[in-house]
Amino acid sequence: MSAGEHPARSSYHHGDLREALLQAAEALLEEAGVQGLTLRACARRAGVSHAAPKHHFADASVLLSEVAARSFDRLTTALREDREAKASAEAVIIGVFRTYVAFARGYPSHFRLMFRWDAMSSDSEVLRVAATRTFAEMTTSITRQRGDSDVTAETLTERIRERGLQNDVILAWSQIHGYAQLLLEGQFASFAESGDSTLDAFVERTVVENGRRLFRVLEESG
Amino acid sequence: MSAGEHPARSSYHHGDLREALLQAAEALLEEAGVQGLTLRACARRAGVSHAAPKHHFADASVLLSEVAARSFDRLTTALREDREAKASAEAVIIGVFRTYVAFARGYPSHFRLMFRWDAMSSDSEVLRVAATRTFAEMTTSITRQRGDSDVTAETLTERIRERGLQNDVILAWSQIHGYAQLLLEGQFASFAESGDSTLDAFVERTVVENGRRLFRVLEESG
DNA sequence: TGTACATCAGTGAACGCGCGTTCACTGATGTAC
DNA sequence: TGTACATCAGTGAACGCGCGTTCACTGATGTAC
């Protein structure tokens, strides 16, 4: 009940079906992936008739957009908290790397969804805003500029370009994202097996080593 | 007819339905993505009854595995040809970057499929071999070691580990793959719009710049 | 304080869709003799 | 060289499935008076 699953309703109306559907969608996403997330499945999980979701979400893609937006928010928060806890610039970079990868490993289906714009509603404002916030937070760590969480994507990229930091951002983001993606799809499996005792150990070691190298590259250019 | 689409057969039997289905699958993949690739759709496109594919592919995931294997082969060839045409070590690294990204842009759905192991048959030997070949080819360029195209994934990673090149490979692959992935999902759109005249120009510029930086990082450690 | 009514979230039956699967069949090909 | 037969790729009708969508409905809530 605490997670809002199959609540034994006393009333005809649900109370907060919209929220219940979002929670059902998050659970389904991790259990069955994007494929398994249908409006009917969400309705079942929320303990409601299959036509009910139409009153809150026109489409599965709209629901997915909101789920992805929440995921971006969660990642943004994790990144900011880690950054604020770090003293040195190098520790911040390694921290971004570690946090990003930990998020991908902790919520693999959410992570995959966040970069599958084809599966989501293209004109979702909440999603656009949430993604931009994550991007702004990463930029803050990478470029060591003061963050501005309510900036639009356009002014943010314009600001980055003016200060000649475009390549730093692209390079850092590419490296971190690529690592997370390849790790998630099991491409590093043979590496991990041939050396470290556990996958956790492999990840921690390579994240720190590559994070250090990334930091040095960013230093050189700055 | 040249692409094997809707051939007006004279005979009751197709002749080479297996090949025709693979070509239909490749075309459908780029047109409709992984979602749109069903056995029935492939049969339709090959001009054959919907039950016919069962004689060649037990499952859509098996068909997808073979398509992905072909994609890996195509990428491997492109990477090798580019490498053999380059003189300097730096040109080779930039070439890998450019070729990898060009492939992702040229065949976006194929590229996405190649890293979606959940959609494919997990025990496909052709796929495993093809993916390892691509990986070996990239390793050759990144580490400047002589390539061995028929090595297994296990011995390849073991060899890399022994020579202390694991981090170079992980770093380079992560950066290149991450760039391709983020570019494909439109994450660099605002960057490209705010500066360069065309997306092609943006890609070429940033690939060269980041390729140079990647080369320098690899130099330092070696 | 009570009554009438509008509103709207949730119901459940019905429909059409495309999918994978099954199965008796048909027709082409190759092989044994 | 010809005939009988096994083999197997491809057919087409049928089935069940889960999905999204529609629609007349039901029941709870809030508001006007």
Side-chain angles (χ1 to χ4, degrees):
Chain A
M1 186 76 106
S2 63
E5 287 170 41
H6 304 107
R9 261 179 301 145
S10 52
S11 152
Y12 183 87
H13 289 88
H14 183 282
D16 196 1
L17 181 56
R18 185 186 165 78
E19 177 59 30
L21 286 170
L22 281 165
Q23 289 186 14
E26 297 211 330
L28 275 168
L29 187 61
E30 283 306 334
E31 282 171 22
V34 182
Q35 303 271 2
L37 203 154
T38 62
L39 284 182
R40 278 179 111 111
C42 287
R44 265 196 302 275
R45 201 183 181 93
V48 101
S49 87
H50 65 263
K54 268 276 160 168
H55 289 288
H56 302 278
F57 300 100
D59 203 289
S61 74
V62 176
L63 180 51
L64 280 171
S65 299
E66 290 226 19
V67 170
R70 288 182 172 213
S71 300
F72 272 112
D73 285 343
R74 219 174 289 159
L75 177 55
T76 304
T77 302
L79 287 168
R80 184 173 51 240
E81 285 176 1
D82 190 87
R83 173 170 56 80
E84 288 170 348
K86 294 293 157 58
S88 78
E90 186 181 42
V92 168
I93 295 293
I94 295 172
V96 174
F97 210 143
R98 189 188 283 118
T99 305
Y100 200 96
V101 170
F103 181 87
R105 293 183 72 201
Y107 307 93
S109 289
H110 283 72
F111 182 74
R112 286 192 194 98
L113 170 65
M114 285 156 74
F115 298 95
R116 291 223 12 219
W117 297 84
D118 60 298
M120 299 187 283
S121 172
S122 57
D123 46 49
S124 167
E125 187 63 16
V126 272
L127 175 57
R128 228 182 46 73
V129 169
T132 301
R133 279 215 191 97
T134 299
F135 181 48
E137 169 55 36
M138 287 197 72
T139 301
T140 301
S141 290
I142 294 165
T143 65
R144 301 198 226 165
Q145 308 264 333
R146 172 153 293 265
D148 177 356
S149 65
D150 277 335
V151 77
T152 68
E154 286 69 31
T155 57
L156 179 62
T157 52
E158 185 57 30
R159 206 178 293 166
I160 290 167
R161 203 181 63 78
E162 278 173 5
R163 297 177 189 167
L165 297 167
Q166 209 191 45
N167 265 301
D168 285 1
V169 172
I170 290 175
L171 182 127
W173 194 11
S174 293
Q175 188 177 319
I176 293 170
H177 184 78
Y179 179 97
Q181 196 87 37
L182 291 172
L183 178 72
L184 217 61
E185 302 308 325
Q187 305 290 337
F188 296 152
S190 55
F191 278 138
E193 281 161 16
S194 82
D196 298 86
S197 52
T198 65
L199 185 57
D200 280 353
F202 168 81
V203 170
E204 177 59 18
R205 186 174 61 75
T206 50
V207 160
V208 170
E209 285 173 2
N210 283 320
R212 284 218 183 93
R213 288 167 92 167
L214 173 57
F215 173 71
R216 249 178 283 141
V217 176
L218 296 176
E219 278 290 280
E220 277 173 28
S221 75
Chain B
M1 186 77 107
S2 63
E5 289 171 37
H6 303 109
R9 262 178 301 143
S10 53
S11 152
Y12 183 87
H13 289 88
H14 183 282
D16 197 1
L17 182 55
R18 184 185 165 79
E19 178 60 28
L21 287 171
L22 281 165
Q23 289 186 14
E26 298 210 330
L28 275 169
L29 188 61
E30 283 306 333
E31 282 170 22
V34 182
Q35 303 272 3
L37 203 154
T38 63
L39 285 183
R40 277 179 113 112
C42 288
R44 264 195 302 275
R45 199 183 184 95
V48 103
S49 86
H50 66 262
K54 268 275 159 169
H55 289 288
H56 302 277
F57 301 98
D59 203 292
S61 74
V62 176
L63 180 52
L64 280 170
S65 299
E66 290 227 20
V67 171
R70 288 181 173 215
S71 300
F72 272 112
D73 286 343
R74 219 173 290 158
L75 177 56
T76 304
T77 303
L79 287 169
R80 185 173 50 240
E81 284 176 2
D82 189 88
R83 172 170 57 81
E84 287 169 349
K86 293 293 156 62
S88 78
E90 186 182 41
V92 168
I93 295 293
I94 294 173
V96 174
F97 211 144
R98 188 187 284 118
T99 306
Y100 200 95
V101 171
F103 181 87
R105 292 183 73 199
Y107 307 93
S109 290
H110 283 72
F111 182 75
R112 287 191 192 96
L113 170 66
M114 287 156 75
F115 298 94
R116 290 221 14 215
W117 296 85
D118 60 299
M120 299 187 285
S121 172
S122 57
D123 46 49
S124 167
E125 186 63 16
V126 272
L127 175 57
R128 226 182 47 73
V129 168
T132 301
R133 278 214 193 97
T134 300
F135 180 48
E137 169 55 36
M138 288 197 71
T139 301
T140 301
S141 290
I142 294 164
T143 66
R144 304 197 223 165
Q145 308 264 331
R146 171 152 294 264
D148 176 357
S149 66
D150 277 335
V151 76
T152 67
E154 285 69 32
T155 56
L156 179 61
T157 52
E158 184 57 30
R159 205 178 293 166
I160 290 166
R161 202 181 63 78
E162 278 173 4
R163 296 175 191 171
L165 298 168
Q166 208 191 45
N167 265 300
D168 286 0
V169 174
I170 290 176
L171 182 129
W173 194 12
S174 293
Q175 187 178 319
I176 293 169
H177 184 77
Y179 179 96
Q181 196 86 39
L182 291 172
L183 178 71
L184 217 62
E185 302 309 325
Q187 304 290 337
F188 296 153
S190 56
F191 278 138
E193 283 161 16
S194 82
D196 298 85
S197 53
T198 65
L199 184 58
D200 280 353
F202 168 81
V203 170
E204 177 59 19
R205 185 175 60 77
T206 50
V207 160
V208 170
E209 285 172 3
N210 282 319
R212 284 217 183 94
R213 287 168 93 166
L214 173 58
F215 173 71
R216 249 178 283 141
V217 176
L218 296 175
E219 278 291 279
E220 277 174 28
S221 76

